[in-house]
Amino acid sequence: MKEPGTYVEYIHLWPQSERLETAIQSGRYDYVYTMPGVKIHQPLIDKMAYAASQIMEQPLVRPTVACDMNGLKQLIVSGNLKAAFNLTTSLLELYGQGYGKAGQPTKNTLETFEIWSCRFQLMMALKLYSNLIEEISPFEELDAPDTYFDYHPEYRNLGYTGSMVTYSLRLIHAEILRFTPEPWGAMKRILKLECETKKILDLVLSSERPAHEKSLWKQRVPFFNVTFL
C-alpha cells in the first residue's frame, strides 16, 4: 500500500517534544518507540441487523469497498460502523500492527496513524471503552520521537515536519481517561492539549498564512470550553 499523500503542513503543525529533541541531538533514528497492536481480532457482528434479516428472510448485504483508506471512509459515511471497525483490523494487519503485535517494533507511517485514529473514533462511537484503553496505551503521551515526521529520514527528506498524530486522536487520547478508575486524568491531558493548541494558534496568527489555516486552529480552541468531567 502506498502512502496516502494526505500530508498538509498546517494540519500537522505541532511543537517538538523534549523526547524528539533528545533523539535528534543523539543523531539516532533507528529506534522504534511506539509499538501498537490490535487487541480485538474477532470481527464485530451487527446483531440487530442480522436478526432483522432473519425475520424478513433476506440476506444481510454489506457494501463492497476497497481494502484501503477510501473504503474505510465509505463505510463510515454510509453508517456501517462495525464493518468499518473490522476493516481497520484488516488494514492494520497489512502493516504488521494486527493482533498480538503490540509491544513489537513495526514501521509507523502517516497512514498507520490515520487508521488508528479512525479505529479509535469508531471504538468510542461503539462504546468499546475498555478495549480502546488497551489499544491506545502503547501511544503513551503522544510525544515519542517516532510520532514526528522529523524523526523519519524518508519524511524529513521530503520536507515534512510536525506530528503524524491526528488531532482527533489527541482528543480521544484525552477523553478516554474518563472511562478509567482515574477520570480526573482527562482534565490534565486536556489542559495540556489546550496549551499546545494555543501555541500553534499563536504561531499561525503571528505569521503570514492563508485565512483558512488560521480558521482551522481558531476552531479548535473553543472545544476546550467543553466540560469533560
Side-chain angles (χ1 to χ4, degrees):
M1 296 177 68
K2 65 179 181 179
E3 289 301 328
T6 56
Y7 171 77
V8 181
E9 182 181 0
Y10 75 90
I11 291 178
H12 292 278
L13 286 172
W14 203 252
Q16 291 190 349
S17 68
E18 292 183 5
R19 296 177 66 186
L20 174 62
E21 292 174 353
T22 299
I24 291 176
Q25 290 172 5
S26 70
R28 181 180 177 183
Y29 300 98
D30 59 347
Y31 188 79
V32 178
Y33 298 84
T34 308
M35 296 181 278
V38 167
K39 296 290 185 179
I40 302 177
H41 66 292
Q42 294 294 339
L44 297 185
I45 299 174
D46 191 334
K47 295 181 180 179
M48 292 187 65
Y50 178 77
S53 69
Q54 294 294 99
I55 294 172
M56 295 184 291
E57 297 183 348
Q58 293 181 352
L60 181 62
V61 179
R62 292 297 187 196
T64 301
V65 299
C67 187
D68 57 22
M69 285 299 295
N70 289 328
L72 178 57
K73 292 174 183 176
Q74 289 175 36
L75 289 175
I76 293 173
V77 170
S78 63
N80 290 280
L81 301 188
K82 290 187 177 180
F85 175 82
N86 294 337
L87 181 54
T88 64
T89 301
S90 299
L91 291 174
L92 290 169
E93 287 175 349
L94 293 177
Y95 283 96
Q97 297 183 350
Y99 185 72
K101 297 299 183 179
Q104 298 182 29
T106 53
K107 186 174 180 58
N108 293 297
T109 68
L110 176 55
E111 188 162 30
T112 61
F113 278 95
E114 290 179 343
I115 297 169
W116 279 111
S117 178
C118 288
R119 183 177 177 86
F120 292 152
Q121 291 175 71
L122 289 164
M123 294 175 85
M124 186 69 81
L126 296 168
K127 299 182 179 181
L128 301 172
Y129 303 133
S130 59
N131 301 110
L132 172 51
I133 291 167
E134 276 192 277
E135 292 197 354
I136 205 170
S137 61
F139 291 85
E140 302 176 308
E141 294 303 312
L142 305 179
D143 64 345
D146 59 357
T147 63
Y148 288 85
F149 292 111
D150 312 67
Y151 183 75
H152 303 275
E154 66 271 29
Y155 286 127
R156 192 171 61 252
N157 293 338
L158 291 173
Y160 290 13
T161 188
S163 175
M164 289 191 283
V165 177
T166 66
Y167 200 78
S168 56
L169 197 159
R170 294 185 187 282
L171 293 174
I172 290 176
H173 178 260
E175 187 176 2
I176 192 58
L177 290 184
R178 293 171 53 200
F179 306 99
T180 68
E182 300 180 355
W184 51 86
M187 184 56 67
K188 181 179 179 181
R189 280 185 178 175
I190 205 64
L191 289 174
K192 180 181 178 182
L193 181 55
E194 178 184 19
C195 179
E196 301 289 2
T197 301
K198 288 181 176 178
K199 286 181 182 179
I200 299 299
L201 178 59
D202 289 342
L203 173 65
V204 298
L205 290 179
S206 63
S207 57
E208 296 182 3
R209 290 178 177 269
H212 67 276
E213 296 186 15
K214 297 178 180 180
S215 176
L216 171 70
W217 287 95
K218 283 181 179 178
Q219 290 171 11
R220 288 174 169 173
V221 173
F223 168 81
F224 298 104
N225 293 325
V226 176
T227 301
F228 276 82
L229 302 178

